[in-house]
């Protein structure tokens, strides 16, 4: 019997934000997955921003290969996708929630279905029934919390639920996002997008069970991506004073690249990087943030995670109710991590710390994937496509992927399938353009056309306070790691055309 696949993702969730491993947060439903499946403690994203990483999940390629290399770029509809491979092999395929494969702005050459003004055209989305990156059914939205991007299928659902004044929860009187709203979001929980995602996902599951069809279903949650905003009572679930704030070290950025040092200034000037304070370098600088505000931000961030955990639980309960649990591979993960004060930095971007690159990942398939196991094997989001296809016995020769088949590792038949991780980031083609190599112990980051970089010993310095890049006694190690990084790059090259002749 072919397995079903349920992919559940969050957005920008720190790797250490699951209650089973962190007693300061409660996530009973994720804890349930931990008990029933395998947790991968060294899983990584291929890029610490949304569009590139999500496109890598779908294609099994790195951002520099599939082309959606940054937020504001577009994943080409011509790219072969995991969802298309499943569809071509008789599966129903659907995505509910956040896609973010296309930008908020459109152009003649690169038209975007997720762009203004189309995402606000509810009549268009009511009748939308065309394939979308291999998904034969999608229900989409674009906003995080009260962003004015709200529209598409989520807004239609709100109206169907009788929430005619739904714009009041997203827009200030000016018609733009209400940035003065902090921590407590006035939207009732019954109208929150977590409720929408779980309800619509469960409706699809009911339909698949009734028709006895195999499915590849992606439930894509928006939280805990900032702004830190969540309905009551979740905004006050955690006492800020009882939380442990991230560690920082005085002077830790002295040996780091210049953009790290800029983040510690109260009003940093990122213009030389072709960025503003709202870009992905120094994203909303919080250099002057006080301890009390940091704790409150963290408390609400945890509240957002606990709330979405409740709705992940509703989906897992539906699998049980429909008798689908034993037939379904469940993968829980996120697109990238989050900095909420670690190293004095907040949000995401070109700072390849473990907090931003490492991600939570739990995989469950009763009777086949070991239950209650913790694995320290290296995993990457680019590995999801080839691994899920192998487990479903799907062959798609048109998909030339850089990801590694992890199926035997997931099934507990071997300890590891890869010896290194590659991560990428660029905010402009030639500005902050970096690539990171991670092996069992060390992490090396290089910058295009720059002699500075980063080298951390993750065993001796797990908090990454001591950059060894320029230290004399580590130059031999750096040389070795640079060579290993180059080998990793060469090994990830995709050969899209077969060689059919000698000359």
């Amino acid at each position: 019997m072919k397995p079903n696949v349920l992919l559940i993702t969050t957005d920008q969730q720190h790797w250490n934000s699951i209650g089973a491993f962190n007693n300061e947060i409660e996530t009973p439903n994720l804890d349930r997955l931990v008990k029933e499946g395998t947790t991968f403690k060294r899983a990584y994203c291929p890029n610490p921003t949304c569009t590139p990483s999500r496109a890598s999940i779908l294609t099994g390629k790195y951002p520099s290969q599939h082309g959606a290399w940054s937020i504001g770029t577009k994943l080409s509809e011509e790219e072969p996708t995991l969802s298309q491979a499943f569809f071509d092999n008789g599966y129903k395929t659907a995505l509910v929630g956040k896609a973010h494969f296309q930008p908020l702005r459109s152009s003649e050459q690169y038209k975007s279905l997720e762009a203004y003004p189309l995402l606000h055209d509810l009549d268009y989305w009511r009748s939308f029934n065309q394939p979308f990156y291999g998904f034969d059914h999608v229900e989409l939205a674009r906003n995080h919390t009260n962003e004015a991007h709200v529209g598409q299928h989520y807004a239609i659902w709100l109206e169907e639920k009788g929430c005619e004044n739904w714009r009041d929860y997203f827009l200030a009187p000016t018609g733009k996002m209400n940035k003065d709203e902090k921590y407590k979001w006035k939207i009732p929980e019954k109208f929150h997008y977590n409720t929408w995602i779980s309800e619509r996902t469960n409706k699809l599951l009911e339909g698949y069970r009734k028709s006895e069809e195999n499915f590849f279903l992606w439930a894509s949650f928006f939280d805990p991506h900032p702004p830190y905003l969540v309905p009551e009572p979740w905004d006050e679930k955690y006492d800020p004073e009882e939380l442990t704030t991230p560690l920082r070290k005085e002077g830790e950025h002295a040996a780091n690249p210049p953009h790290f040092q800029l983040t510690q200034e109260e009003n940093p000037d990122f213009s030389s990087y072709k960025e503003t304070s709202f870009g992905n370098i120094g994203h909303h600088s919080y250099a002057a943030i006080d301890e009390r505000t940091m704790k409150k931000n963290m408390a609400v961030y945890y509240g957002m995670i606990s709330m979405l955990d409740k709705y992940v639980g509703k989906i897992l309960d539906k699998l049980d109710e429909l008798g689908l649990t034993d037939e379904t591979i469940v993968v829980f993960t996120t697109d990238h991590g989050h900095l909420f004060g670690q190293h004095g930095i907040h949000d995401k971007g070109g700072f390849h710390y473990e907090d931003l690159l490492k991600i939570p990942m739990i995989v469950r398939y009763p009777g086949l994937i070991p239950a209650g196991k913790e694995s320290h094997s290296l995993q990457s989001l680019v590995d999801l496509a080839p691994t899920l296809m192998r487990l479903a016995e799907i062959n798609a020769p048109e998909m030339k992927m850089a990801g590694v088949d992890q199926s035997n590792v997931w099934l507990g038949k071997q300890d590891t399938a890869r010896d290194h991780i590659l991560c990428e980031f660029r905010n402009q083609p030639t500005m902050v353009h970096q690539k990171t190599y991670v092996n069992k112990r060390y992490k090396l980051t290089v910058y295009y056309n720059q002699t500075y970089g980063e080298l951390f010993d993750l065993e001796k310095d797990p908090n990454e306070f001591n950059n060894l890049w320029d230290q004399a006694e580590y130059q031999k190690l750096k040389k070795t790691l640079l060579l290993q990084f180059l080998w990793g790059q060469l090994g990830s090259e995709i050969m899209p055309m077969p060689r059919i002749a000698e000359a």
Side-chain angles (χ1 to χ4, degrees):
M1 179 183 294
K2 287 187 174 183
N4 303 306
V5 176
L6 174 61
L7 173 61
I8 303 174
T9 58
T10 59
D11 194 336
Q12 202 159 317
Q13 183 176 353
H14 190 273
W15 65 267
N16 190 28
S17 59
I18 295 176
F21 309 107
N22 179 351
N23 61 14
E24 293 187 357
I25 187 171
E26 295 178 12
T27 57
N29 295 293
L30 295 183
D31 295 356
R32 170 184 165 190
L33 278 181
V34 169
K35 291 177 183 177
E36 297 173 351
T38 295
T39 303
F40 293 98
K41 305 299 289 288
R42 293 202 68 187
Y44 288 81
C45 67
N47 183 294
T49 53
C50 300
T51 298
S53 198
R54 290 169 175 272
S56 289
I57 291 174
L58 209 56
T59 62
K61 296 179 180 179
Y62 292 99
S64 56
Q65 296 168 335
H66 59 59
W69 53 269
S70 172
I71 292 176
T73 62
K74 175 182 177 178
L75 178 64
S76 170
E77 289 93 343
E78 302 303 312
E79 276 291 326
T81 61
L82 172 65
S83 42
Q84 187 67 54
F86 271 88
F87 180 79
D88 290 343
N89 282 267
Y91 280 72
K92 301 295 291 183
T93 56
L95 184 154
V96 179
K98 176 175 177 176
H100 207 171
F101 306 135
Q102 301 188 4
L104 275 170
R105 299 288 182 265
S106 199
S107 70
E108 272 307 309
Q109 187 176 4
Y110 301 105
K111 294 187 182 298
S112 171
L113 288 177
E114 298 185 65
Y116 291 111
L118 193 58
L119 65 86
H120 288 160
D121 185 348
L122 301 192
D123 287 337
Y124 174 84
W125 293 105
R126 282 189 185 95
S127 60
F128 185 83
N129 61 2
Q130 65 192 64
F132 187 77
Y133 292 102
F135 295 103
D136 64 83
H137 180 87
V138 292
E139 298 183 37
L140 305 175
R142 184 58 185 258
N143 56 296
H144 299 101
T145 65
N146 64 345
E147 288 178 337
H149 308 329
V150 65
Q152 297 171 289
H153 297 97
Y154 175 40
I156 294 169
W157 177 84
L158 286 168
E159 293 186 355
E160 291 174 348
K161 290 294 179 180
C163 185
E164 296 293 336
N165 68 324
W166 58 269
R167 290 175 181 82
D168 295 345
Y169 299 120
F170 301 91
L171 306 178
T174 59
K176 296 182 178 180
M177 176 182 171
N178 185 3
K179 294 182 179 179
D180 294 329
E181 192 171 20
K182 294 185 182 298
Y183 303 134
K184 186 190 297 290
W185 191 8
K186 295 176 183 178
I187 192 169
E189 184 173 331
K190 65 180 180 179
F191 295 140
H192 192 274
Y193 43 57
N194 287 345
T195 309
W196 165 63
I197 291 169
S198 66
E199 180 182 300
R200 296 307 303 159
T201 297
N202 286 349
K203 190 69 174 177
L204 287 167
L205 290 173
E206 290 171 355
Y208 298 147
R209 169 49 90 195
K210 186 176 181 180
S211 61
E212 298 184 345
E213 293 176 292
N214 282 111
F215 59 84
F216 170 75
L217 175 56
W218 186 349
S220 181
F221 288 88
F222 297 87
D223 285 354
H225 188 297
Y228 303 112
L229 201 61
V230 70
E232 60 180 1
W234 304 96
D235 61 309
E236 295 184 354
K237 178 173 176 58
Y238 297 99
D239 181 352
E241 296 308 313
E242 294 182 357
L243 299 180
T244 305
T245 51
L247 292 173
R248 288 169 288 173
K249 183 180 179 181
E250 187 70 28
E252 65 174 288
H253 294 300
N256 287 342
H259 65 289
F260 285 77
Q261 299 164 30
L262 275 175
T263 63
Q264 305 309 293
E265 298 180 7
E266 188 167 348
N267 295 299
D269 179 8
F270 290 97
S271 58
S272 62
Y273 294 94
K274 297 184 180 179
E275 278 289 358
T276 68
S277 61
F278 295 97
N280 288 312
I281 297 294
H283 196 76
H284 307 287
S285 177
Y286 288 87
I289 194 170
D290 59 81
E291 191 80 5
R292 182 179 179 184
T293 303
M294 186 185 299
K295 283 177 175 287
K296 182 61 178 176
N297 288 349
M298 188 175 175
V300 176
Y301 181 76
Y302 279 10
M304 296 167 80
I305 293 171
S306 288
M307 182 188 175
L308 73 84
D309 175 84
K310 171 183 174 179
Y311 290 91
V312 169
K314 289 182 179 293
I315 297 172
L316 298 179
D317 289 345
K318 180 60 69 172
L319 287 177
D320 288 347
E321 176 191 322
L322 296 171
L324 288 168
T325 298
D326 290 345
E327 304 168 16
T328 304
I329 301 168
V330 175
V331 178
F332 173 85
T333 189
T334 193
D335 52 2
H336 54 79
H338 183 55
L339 290 160
F340 46 91
Q342 294 90 344
H343 310 282
I345 303 175
H346 291 250
D347 223 309
K348 59 189 175 186
F351 311 97
H352 281 190
Y353 288 118
E354 295 287 274
D355 303 284
L356 201 49
L357 298 187
K358 256 176 67 171
I359 53 174
M361 182 184 287
I362 312 166
V363 182
R364 184 186 77 179
Y365 191 14
L368 289 171
I369 290 177
K373 179 181 177 180
E374 294 177 30
S375 170
H376 290 269
S377 65
L378 295 171
Q379 304 277 323
S380 173
L381 290 179
V382 297
D383 300 338
L384 290 185
T387 304
L388 290 171
M389 288 169 59
R390 175 62 62 87
L391 290 170
E393 298 182 353
I394 288 174
N395 181 32
E398 71 279 4
M399 285 193 72
K400 306 298 182 182
M401 295 176 284
V404 172
D405 172 18
Q406 298 269 5
S407 58
N408 282 332
V409 178
W410 288 16
L411 295 170
K413 296 179 179 180
Q414 65 186 62
D415 292 332
T416 187
R418 58 160 67 242
D419 61 8
H420 69 275
I421 293 288
L422 296 175
C423 301
E424 309 175 348
F425 176 84
R426 53 172 87 179
N427 70 313
Q428 295 288 343
T430 58
M431 303 309 281
V432 176
H433 179 184
Q434 67 200 102
K435 292 195 177 186
T436 292
Y437 169 89
V438 188
N439 64 21
K440 185 176 180 180
R441 177 170 177 174
Y442 296 103
K443 173 188 285 183
L444 178 90
T445 300
V446 297
Y447 291 81
Y448 179 63
N449 276 350
Q450 302 293 342
T451 57
Y452 55 68
E454 298 145 56
L455 171 57
F456 293 103
D457 184 338
L458 298 176
E459 184 178 296
K460 290 185 177 180
D461 180 27
N463 293 309
E464 300 172 278
F465 288 147
N466 186 22
N467 183 4
L468 307 172
W469 181 268
D470 288 322
Q471 294 189 22
E473 61 269 38
Y474 289 94
Q475 295 311 296
K476 183 177 180 180
L477 172 64
K478 183 171 77 173
K479 183 178 179 180
T480 299
L481 292 173
L482 283 168
L483 188 57
Q484 291 175 356
F485 164 71
L486 180 58
W487 292 340
Q489 285 291 114
L490 292 171
S492 69
E493 291 178 355
I494 294 172
M495 303 301 168
M497 286 296 292
R499 187 177 187 187
I500 58 175
E502 293 300 316

